[in-house]
Amino acid sequence: MNQENNQRTSNTVLVLGGGIAGIKASYDLAEAGRQVYLLEKKPALGGFLPLLDRQFPTNDCNICYLSPDADKAGGARTVQTMPLTKLVALEGQAGNFTARVLTSPRYINTDRCNACGACLAACPQGAISFTPGLDTNSPTCLRYPQATPQAFAINMAKCDRCGECIKVCAPEAIDLDQQEVEQSLEVGSVVLASGAEVWDPAPMEEWYGHKRFPDVLTSLEFEQLMSAAGPTGGAFQRPSDGRRPKRIGWIQCAGSRTTKDGGNSYCSSICCMISMKEAIWAMEHFEQDLEATVFFMDMRPMGKDYELYYQRAKNDLGINFVRCRPHTVDRHEQTGDLRMTYVDDEGSLGEVELDLVVLATGFCAASDSQDQAAALGIDLSPYRFVNSDEFSPVSTSRPGVYACGMALGPQDIPGSLTQASAAGCLASADLAAPRALRREEDLPKERDLSGEEPRIGVFFVDWGKVVQEVVDSKAVEQAAANMAGVVHVETLELSYGQSGLAALEKAITDSRINRVVVAGYSPRTHGRIFAEAIRKAGLNRAYLEMANIREQDAFVHQGDSQAATAKAITLVRTAVAGVRQAKPTPSLTLPFNPDALVVGGGVAGMSAALGLAGQGGKVYLVERSRQLGGLANELARTLNGRPVAPELAELVEQVKGNPNIEILTDTLVVDHKGQVGGFITGVQSGPGMFYRQINHGVTILATGARRYEPTEYLYGQNSRVMTQLEMEKLLANGQGGDKLDTVVMIQCVGSRNDDNPTCGRICCRSAVKNALWIKEQKPDAQVFVLYRDMRMPFTSEDVYRKAREEGVLFVRYSPEQPPRVEQSGDTLEVIFRDHILGRDLSVEPSALVLSTPQIAADEDTEELCEIFRLQQGPGGFLLEDHPKVKPIDTPAPGVFAAGSVLAPASLAEARTQGLAAAGRALTLLSQMNLVLDTPVAKVNRDRCAACLVCVRTCPYGIPYINADGYSEIDPAQCLGCGVCAAECPAQAIQLPGYEDERMLSRTEALLEGVL
Amino acid sequence: MSDFEPVVVVFACDYCAYTAADVAGRMNLSYPTGVRILRVPCTGKVEPQYIMQALQKGADGVMVAGCLVGDCHFKNGNLRAAVRVKRVQGLLDEIGIGGERVAMVHVSAGQGAQFAEAATEFSRKIGEMGPNPIKQGAKAAA
C-alpha cells in the first residue's frame, strides 16, 4: 500500500490456489476490473468444498449460491485459470513482480475437450480422471456446474500409452506428448490461497484404529458416505458389512489440541461444527433409529450464531454430547462392532459400543507449504501456516503478498471468504487505478427493430460426437428452416472460440437477423456468452433463446435416436416460438458515484476506509463519538501480549492523514435513500446538530457493539467484582495487579443463557489473556477460571496451554450448578463445584472478574436497520446476506457490514472484515456506470389496483405503492424471480422473457402435435 | 395402453432443477423422451395457468421442479410453487382430470440422478394413469 503511484502500473494479481478462498479473491478482483491469473496445483478448481456434502450452519449445498457470482465474473473473462500449475519463484517487488510458474502436462487439450467421457470409458488402465464434482465415480455430485475447466486429465503414472483414448476422442483433444511449460507472469501483487490438508490419523492408528477397522472413518470419509453421489450411492451403510449404522460416535480433536502422536497442539477450530453437521444430518434422516454421540473436551462452535446450532443439536435433535477424553477404539471379533473407552469428566473410565466411529480429524498445513513459502519469500509460523498478526491479519512478511483461507490456519467458509475479500482489497491497492468495466459505449448502438418482422437465425453450435450420433442434424436443420420467421440456418463448426462467435456476428449483420436461436448448449453454461455475442452484433441481449440439445436431449436419450431427433426439433421450435415474441430489455444506465460512506470509526470502520481510500473516490467516515477507535480504545494488549495502543494510534493517524478520507466525528446518520451507485444519506453533526447530505455509491456499516453491563454476581455492589475490561485496565495502569492474591474469573456471564443464547466468542480469550497477565505481575497469585467450555480457536489454544502451565486453574461448571457468590461484611466468597474432586470449593478472592460479552447495541442497531432497510438476527446483531457465502454483504445491494455490528469480533476479525467490506465495495466502485440489463418485473399501471399483493409477496420487499397510487418496482433492486408477476391478481406485472403470452407460445410449441 | 408414452412438461427453475437436468445429461443418465423441460427463473414464477395450459394443450402430466426446501435462490419461491401445485391438484380432481397429473419436486443443482429418477418415476406414474382425458376429447371432436 506504500507504493508510489508511478510504480503502480500493473493491473494483474496472481492468485495461488483454486479453492473457495482463491476463487472468491479472483472473482472479487475480476469484478473490480482487475486481471487475475488463478493458479491451481490440481487439474481443476474447487479445493475442499466439492468434497463436502452440505455445509453448516444452513446445512445446504451452498455452491448454488456461489456459482452465480462466479458465473457473472467469469463473463468478464478476466480470470485466467491455470490448472496443474505452481509458482516456482517470485521476483521483484509489490506493484511489479515477475512470477515464474510451471504448468504440468494434462495430456488433454482443454480447449478441445468437451467432457464427453469417451476416453474415460475407453481407458483400460483407469488413468483418466474427471474434474472434481463431475466424476460420477468421485465422492461428489456435480455441485459446481461451472467447474473449471470442464475437462479430463490423464494420470501419466497409470497410463501405458496404449492409445485407446486417442481413438475414441472425437475433438482430438488428447496429446500424450505434452510437456511441462514454464513461463513468466508480470503481476502487481499476489494472493496466497493454497489451503491446508486434512490431518492424516495414521499416527493414532494404534489408539483409534483408522485403517485397521473399516468402520472407523475420518470426517471427510463420513461426508462421502452421506453423499447421494458417494461410493454407496446415498445408501447409508457402514463399510465393513453394509449394515446401516445405528450407533455413531464422533471423536473430537483427533490429532488436534495434543502434543502426542504427531498431532498438532493448536485447535483446528471447525471440527466441532463439522461433526455436529454430520450428526444433525444423520439424525434428521434416521431419527427414530439412531443414537448419535459426540465425544469431546470442549465444544467450540466459534462462528456467528454457531452456539445456537449447538443448542439445537443438543436440545432439539437429541444428539448426545459426552465430555471426556477418548482413549481407544477396539473391534469386537464376532459382531464386528466397535467398542470405545474413554475417561469422563469426573475421571472415571467409560465404555460404549458403536457401529461406526468418525474421527474429527483436524487440518494441517499443506505438505508443500514450505516450498511455496520459499518460492514466495514469505515467513511461516512453526506450524507451517502463513505467519500473520492481529493487526495485519491477511498480510505476509513480504509486501505485496497477501494470504487468505486455510493457508493462514484452519477456518470455516465464511472466514475464508472474508479473508479472501480482504486480501483482494489489499492486493488491488498495489495495482494501477482500476479501469472501468464493461462500458456500454464500447459496444455498437443497438439496432432499432421497430416495424421489423421477426427475422430469426437458428445456429447449431458444437454438437459434438455424442449429439451427432444420436440426433439427425440434417432433419433438425430442415425442420428449423421451415419454422415461421426463420430466415437463416447455419451450423457453426468451431467450438465456441472467438472465431465461432465472429461467424455468428457476421451472419446477424449479413442476413439482417433480428432474433437468434442457438441450438446446442445449455443456456446455463453458455447463455451469457451468446448474449454478449449478439449484443456485439447490435442486437439487444434479450433477442436470444437457446435450445438445449446437448444436456437435455441427446445426452439423456442416447438409446432412441428417432425420439431424440423429434425432441430436438421440438426444442428448436419452442425456442423459435419464444424468441419470436422477444422484446428488448432496456439496459438501465446509472452513473455510479465512486464515493463511499463508512458508518462507524472503530477498527473495522477505519480499516474499511483505508482499504477504499485511493482505490475509488472519496470516503466519508462517520463516527458518533468524538474519537476514532471504538471499543479497541479500551484494550491494553492482545492475547499474545502485544500492546494495542501504538497500533491503534497508527491506524488513527493513517486515517487522519489520508487525503481521500473525510472524517465526521460527533455525527449521526439520520436518513438514507437511493440505490446502489446513487445513495443519499443525511447526517447530523456536532452539538448544533448541523444537517448535511452525503452522496455516495456504496455504504459500509461498522457501528460496532456495546459491552454487556452485568447484573449478576454482585457486580456494581461490591468493589472487588469487575469485568474483564476493568481488570485489563487495572493491570495496564499498574493499579495493584501485584496485590492480587486470589482471582476468580467466571465465564459466560451474560451469554449462553436464556436472555442471550449466543456465545460471546472472545471472552474466553480475554480471560486467558488477563489470567496470564496477572501471573506475570504476581507469579504466586492464585487464578481460577470457572468455565463452561474454553473456546480457544487455532493457536490461542497454545496460550491456553501456557496459562495452565503457569498454574492458572481452570475449573468447569455446568449451567445447572453455576458458581455462587456471597458477601458478608468485608468478605467476598465464591463457592463452586470441582467435578474431579466431586465437592464444593470455596475461595475468597481479592478480585472476582466476570467475562461478559459484547452484545448488540440494540436500539442503535435497530435504528440503523430501519434507516438502511436491513434486518437484525439472533441476539440483535445485523443480519448478513447469507451466513455462509455472503458474510460481509447485506441483503441491500451496495451495503456491506464489518466488525462487531455483525457479531462479537476480535481485533483481527474486525480488521479483516473492514478490509473485506472495502474489497466487496470495490467490486462495485470500479464501474463508471451501473448497467442493469437483467429482466426485472414491470408494472402496467393501467391494470394495477394497488392491492399490495406484490408488496407482500416480494421476497426482498422491493415493490411499493407510489404517490400516484400504483405499484412501483425499482429496476435497480429487482432480482427478477417473477414471484410478484405470478401472484398479481390483475396480471399487471410481467417479467420480460416470461410474459404470459410468451410462456403460452412456448408451451404450445413444446406440445405441438401432441393433441 | 402398453405403447402409451406420456408427454410430461417440466417447469424447471434456473438455479436448481434446470441445472440438475443438465447434470443428468452430463452424467449420461436417461429418462423418458416424453419429458420436455421449460426453464423458469424460479418455480415461484410458475402460475397455475401455465400448468393448466400445458394440460389443455395435451401434456399428460406436469412436473414443477424447484430447489430443495430451504434452498430456494429467491428465499421461498419453491414453497409458493408447492402451494400453487396443491391448489391446481384440487382443481384437477374436481374436473376429473386427476390431481396426480401434476407434481412438485425438489432437487438441488447437483442432483442430476435425482432429477432423472423423479422424471422417470413421474412418467411411469402418468403412464399407468393413461393419456390425458383431454386428448380423447380432442380426438372425438376431430
Side-chain angles (χ1 to χ4, degrees), chain A residues 599-613:
Chain A
V599 187
V603 168
M606 288 193 291
S607 302
L610 283 171
L612 287 169

Side-chain angles (χ1 to χ4, degrees), chain A residues 188-205:
Chain A
S189 51
V190 180
V191 173
L192 175 61
S194 50
E197 284 169 14
V198 177
W199 186 76
D200 178 358
M204 293 187 132
E205 190 186 324

Side-chain angles (χ1 to χ4, degrees), chain A residues 60 142 522 548 567 983 1006, chain B residues 19 22 35-36 71 84 110:
Chain A
D60 327 314
L142 187 137
S522 165
N548 189 340
K567 184 169 167 184
E983 296 276 337
L1006 195 67
Chain B
T19 308
D22 278 0
V35 174
R36 302 173 184 186
D71 280 6
R84 288 186 211 133

Side-chain angles (χ1 to χ4, degrees), chain A residues 723-738:
Chain A
T723 62
Q724 290 289 1
L725 267 178
E726 286 159 347
M727 172 54 80
E728 185 166 350
K729 206 168 174 184
L730 182 152
L731 293 166
N733 297 344
Q735 291 168 339
D738 54 342

Side-chain angles (χ1 to χ4, degrees), chain A residues 1-10 429-433 614 660:
Chain A
M1 275 177 92
N2 299 324
Q3 293 300 306
E4 292 296 319
N5 275 347
N6 56 14
Q7 279 183 283
R8 293 168 44 182
T9 53
S10 174
D430 290 327
L431 306 180
N660 296 305

Side-chain angles (χ1 to χ4, degrees), chain A residues 54 59-61 64-65 68 115-116 130 134 136 141-143 145 150 228 466 522-525 546 548 550-553 555-558 560 563-564 567 570-571 574 871 891 952-956 975-979 981-983 987 990-991 994-996 999-1000 1002-1004 1006-1008 1010-1011, chain B residues 5 7 9-11 14-19 21-42 44-50 53-60 68-77 80 84 87 108-112 114 134-135 138-139:
Chain A
R54 359 213 73 208
N59 286 20
D60 327 314
C61 149
C64 320
Y65 288 86
C116 69
F130 214 159
L134 283 165
T136 50
C141 58
L142 187 137
R143 280 296 167 78
Q150 287 199 337
V466 176
S522 165
R524 287 284 309 160
T525 50
M546 298 188 65
N548 189 340
R550 283 162 55 98
E551 279 88 348
Q552 296 187 3
D553 183 25
F555 289 0
V556 286
H557 306 313
Q558 293 187 29
D560 192 345
K567 184 169 167 184
T570 299
L571 294 179
T574 306
Q871 280 163 353
R952 291 192 188 115
T953 53
C954 175
Y956 305 98
L975 298 179
C977 67
V979 167
E983 296 276 337
Q987 286 163 325
Q990 293 289 343
L991 183 69
Y994 301 93
E995 298 91 346
D996 293 342
M999 285 304 292
L1000 177 60
R1002 286 191 185 117
T1003 306
E1004 281 172 344
L1006 195 67
L1007 294 168
E1008 196 179 298
V1010 168
L1011 270 187
Chain B
E5 280 184 21
V7 172
V9 171
V10 181
F11 291 99
D14 197 23
Y15 283 92
C16 290
Y18 192 89
T19 308
D22 278 0
V23 173
R26 280 181 219 131
M27 291 169 79
N28 290 323
L29 301 172
S30 75
Y31 47 80
T33 53
V35 174
R36 302 173 184 186
I37 300 170
L38 277 179
R39 187 163 76 124
V40 287
C42 172
K45 178 69 184 86
V46 178
E47 300 175 30
Q49 61 161 343
Y50 296 178
Q53 281 163 348
L55 292 168
Q56 196 191 343
K57 301 291 171 193
D60 299 299
L68 295 177
V69 173
D71 280 6
C72 176
H73 183 77
F74 298 107
K75 293 187 181 173
N76 57 6
R80 289 184 182 281
R84 288 186 211 133
R87 208 160 67 215
S108 81
Q111 291 180 328
Q114 283 84 340
I134 283 176
K135 277 187 188 168
K139 280 199 185 106

